[in-house]
Amino acid sequence: MTDTPTAADAIAAQAASHPEIRPFWQAAAEGRFVLAFCTACGKPHWYPRAICPLCGHGGIEWRPASGRGTIYSVSVLRRANPPYALAYVTLEEGPTMMTNIVDCDLDELAIGQPVKVALRRQSTGLTVPMFTPQ
Ligand SMILES: [Zn+2]
């Protein structure tokens, strides 16, 4: 076994505890950012879950997301090594998600700034959606 799990290993491990969001991790591993949309009220939500948090319906479908959003709030952790940005990004589709802003000048980040998704493979083997300035 290698130090870094394969994407398939990581997805299987994640799906063991949260099988309902396996399609999310599978899509991310393939370079696609998808959102869970409720099949009753039609609205997307974040984080992904099997029961719609907006209306309580127990059905979702996965749809491609635009990958575009704006920074709702951002904090730069300057004492970390290396420093990094932790943010809430409001997606074009509506939901707001906690994430990191990457590949950017940390001093130039601002509330309201347009960003786009940047899928990043982690040492866990999972590919995680982060964002970068548009
Ligand atoms: Zn719903």
Side-chain angles (χ1 to χ4, degrees), residues 56-79:
H57 179 69
I60 59 167
E61 64 181 12
W62 300 93
R63 297 185 198 162
S66 70
R68 292 186 297 270
T70 57
I71 295 177
Y72 176 80
S73 71
V74 60
S75 293
V76 176
L77 286 83
R78 297 186 189 282
R79 296 181 69 179

Side-chain angles (χ1 to χ4, degrees), residues 72-98:
Y72 176 80
S73 71
V74 60
S75 293
V76 176
L77 286 83
R78 297 186 189 282
R79 296 181 69 179
N81 185 21
Y84 65 96
L86 183 64
Y88 280 100
V89 166
T90 300
L91 302 172
E92 193 171 74
E93 290 82 2
T96 297
M97 61 185 285
M98 182 182 276

Side-chain angles (χ1 to χ4, degrees), residues 29 35 39 53 81 117 122:
L35 283 175
T39 57
N81 185 21
V117 75
Q122 304 299 294

